[in-house]
Amino acid sequence: MKELFPVFKKNKDLVYLDSAASSMKPQKVIDAINDYYLNYSVNIERGVYNLALNATKRVEESRKKIAEYIGANSKEIIFTRGASNSLNMVALMLKKILKPGDEVITSELEHHSSFLPFLNLQKEIGIKLVFVPLEADGRITIDNFKKVLSNKTKVVALTHVSNVLGYKTDVKEIIRLSHEVGAITSIDGAQASPHMKLDMKDLDTDFYSFSFHKMCGPTGLGILYGKKELLEKLDPVELGGEMNDEVTKNSVTYKDLPYKFETGTMPIAEIFASGATIDFLSEIGIENIEKESIRLRNLALKELLKLDEIEVYNKNQESSIIAFNIKGVHSHDLVSVLAENNIAVRAGHHCAEPLHRFLKISASTRASFYFYNDESDVSKFLDVVKKTISFFREVGYID
Ligand code: PMP
């Protein structure tokens, strides 16, 4: 698989285990970006000349592909700058309909981009954030979700797959229960979209957010899926060019969906590439992607668990991430040694500080596997982790 990703040709020794931060981009996606700059380079939706019309057609083809891929209608696909942008837009759209005292359910498992926009609304308009109690290992369960769901719940904003522990939350049941009390659901799918088949009709969520750069696609582009009936009722959060229908000195009407939520010039090259991304993922098959990522992760996990010096925070789970530490060693020290050996993993709180407080650790080491990794990546990683443990013991850093 590595041959499909130019970056590995130039970095033959690279062991890339940071795909949860951003995935590598295949030639096919890079070609689509170049195609825009080499053969189009014009704006969309405005011009009536051929280049502009053809570029607009390509953008709408990408939108349609994405809609079909996630079981949605094209009108429900809003292009954004990324998952963070999408999640912020949801909070801003709902700001107008939320009232002081309305409850918004979140959790300590969230990425900051899912949680902070609503923390801000707590300060700005007096909504109340309510946290789903986590199980001891950090999971969200339906039983615990039920403990906080009530008639006061107006929004449920939770992550589909945790970016630190890799847990898959049963969001389908959470969405069903939320709708029973009339709450709006917003799901952060940034870590789910690279690994899972998404089906908006089946999930029945009101909002769903994800980024392309984590799923072999371009940076700077995300999707905000929103249910058509809901989007029609909500106002845009950004005003400016192209999203309006008629403007006078003191009034404005908005375009139809999805354009009323897309202000100004869009990232056109990236949108071209999003269609190529969907083609790429479909050719390989998201099930195969997930199976291989988990297989490699489990190979590494099995060996790490044999080492007494290692603490793993997410042993019993079904994803592609290992969150761990060498006991008594700061994760930054470990990842620095790994980096010297051309092994890329992440250290820190991974934009999930409340979760690290919950786990009572300041930082963790995150190795995230994807389908383009191979068994030699696993053995190089394990080899350096073992050597690092021996080295830290020799210098008296650990017992
Ligand atoms: N949510 C989760 C669960 C994530 O892992 C990330 C990316 N780390 C985001 C949201 C934000 O995505 P982006 O940086 O692409 O906006």
Side-chain angles (χ1 to χ4, degrees):
M1 280 294 166
K2 282 190 182 165
E3 65 282 1
L4 302 177
F5 297 83
V7 110
F8 290 124
K9 284 186 196 143
K10 298 214 173 93
N11 298 276
K12 288 213 173 3
D13 294 332
L14 173 66
V15 175
Y16 188 67
L17 300 178
D18 197 18
S19 295
S22 202
S23 68
M24 294 308 187
K25 288 46 169 174
Q27 186 66 51
K28 192 177 183 125
V29 167
I30 298 165
D31 287 345
I33 292 182
N34 287 340
D35 183 29
Y36 168 73
Y37 288 113
L38 293 172
N39 301 315
Y40 296 81
S41 271
V42 293
N43 217 322
I44 50 163
E45 315 287 356
R46 303 156 161 82
V48 292
Y49 42 92
N50 270 344
L51 266 188
L53 292 176
N54 290 337
T56 304
K57 201 165 146 238
R58 282 285 298 271
V59 163
E60 292 313 322
E61 277 167 11
S62 285
R63 197 191 303 272
K64 192 156 173 271
K65 262 185 204 170
I66 297 161
E68 277 167 13
Y69 184 72
I70 68 166
N73 181 308
S74 288
K75 288 184 189 301
E76 299 174 316
I77 303 295
I78 301 166
F79 287 117
T80 67
R81 281 187 289 106
S84 301
N85 185 208
S86 305
L87 292 160
N88 274 276
M89 279 172 72
V90 172
L92 290 173
M93 284 179 196
L94 299 180
K95 185 175 171 181
K96 277 197 183 164
I97 57 174
L98 288 170
K99 294 187 210 60
D102 283 350
E103 292 188 357
V104 173
I105 294 183
T106 180
S107 84
E108 288 155 283
L109 194 58
E110 300 310 297
H111 186 279
H112 295 164
S113 293
S114 159
F115 155 70
L116 289 180
F118 285 104
L119 180 67
N120 202 35
L121 288 197
Q122 178 165 271
K123 280 194 224 125
E124 279 192 20
I125 59 168
I127 57 140
K128 188 172 165 226
L129 281 185
V130 179
F131 290 81
V132 185
L134 301 181
E135 290 291 286
D137 63 358
R139 275 178 202 271
I140 293 176
T141 61
I142 296 296
D143 281 348
N144 284 351
F145 176 71
K146 283 182 183 162
K147 287 181 194 154
V148 289
L149 184 71
S150 78
N151 287 334
K152 285 189 240 152
T153 310
K154 298 298 171 220
V155 178
V156 173
L158 292 172
T159 186
H160 199 167
V161 174
S162 158
N163 67 317
V164 180
L165 299 174
Y167 298 153
K168 291 189 181 89
T169 297
D170 182 0
V171 290
K172 187 172 170 186
E173 180 60 3
I174 284 178
I175 291 160
R176 193 186 68 74
L177 292 166
S178 306
H179 286 162
E180 275 183 6
V181 300
I184 291 172
T185 56
S186 170
I187 304 299
D188 173 358
Q191 295 291 342
S193 59
H195 293 279
M196 294 170 71
K197 177 84 190 93
L198 300 178
D199 186 341
M200 295 302 120
K201 280 208 186 65
D202 182 52
L203 274 188
D204 196 33
T205 185
D206 298 300
F207 292 109
Y208 197 95
S209 302
F210 60 93
S211 289
F212 269 94
H213 70 95
K214 293 183 199 282
M215 48 195 285
C216 297
T219 58
L221 185 71
I223 295 297
L224 172 57
Y225 160 84
K227 257 190 201 158
K228 192 165 152 279
E229 310 80 65
L230 186 59
L231 289 177
E232 270 161 0
K233 283 188 223 146
L234 294 167
D235 285 336
V237 292
E238 258 186 33
L239 305 183
E242 286 310 305
M243 47 70 68
N244 50 69
D245 216 5
E246 192 179 293
V247 180
T248 71
K249 268 164 76 180
N250 48 27
S251 70
V252 54
T253 56
Y254 306 129
K255 275 191 177 157
D256 286 341
L257 290 178
Y259 309 106
K260 74 170 177 179
F261 292 106
E262 293 179 350
T263 311
T265 299
M266 301 308 287
I268 307 168
E270 287 75 10
I271 297 176
F272 272 44
S274 68
T277 308
I278 299 298
D279 291 342
F280 180 78
L281 295 177
S282 305
E283 276 157 26
I284 296 180
I286 198 79
E287 299 80 9
N288 299 330
I289 289 176
E290 181 61 339
K291 218 164 122 197
E292 183 61 0
S293 312
I294 291 179
R295 186 183 78 82
L296 293 166
R297 179 263 186 191
N298 284 347
L299 279 180
L301 179 68
K302 198 168 140 219
E303 294 305 311
L304 282 186
L305 289 176
K306 289 183 188 159
L307 306 172
D308 289 341
E309 298 82 356
I310 297 279
E311 180 156 23
V312 176
Y313 303 106
N314 61 345
K315 282 185 249 203
N316 305 314
Q317 56 99 6
E318 57 303 308
S319 185
S320 55
I321 294 174
I322 307 176
F324 71 103
N325 274 323
I326 299 178
K327 292 173 195 164
V329 173
H330 196 283
S331 59
H332 283 123
D333 293 336
L334 170 60
V335 302
S336 302
V337 182
L338 288 165
E340 278 165 23
N341 289 275
N342 218 3
I343 299 173
V345 301
R346 266 285 278 286
H349 55 59
H350 318 292
C351 302
E353 253 188 277
L355 176 65
H356 284 76
R357 280 182 218 283
F358 172 85
L359 295 171
K360 299 193 171 53
I361 50 176
S362 61
S364 60
T365 310
R366 181 182 71 181
S368 49
F369 295 80
Y370 212 19
F371 64 102
Y372 43 63
N373 290 121
D374 55 25
E375 291 188 14
S376 98
D377 291 340
V378 174
S379 50
K380 281 184 199 156
F381 164 68
L382 289 169
D383 193 39
V384 177
V385 169
K386 285 179 194 163
K387 284 188 179 139
T388 312
I389 292 172
S390 304
F391 170 75
F392 282 143
R393 181 168 298 116
E394 266 166 41
V395 296
Y397 203 30
I398 54 174
D399 300 330

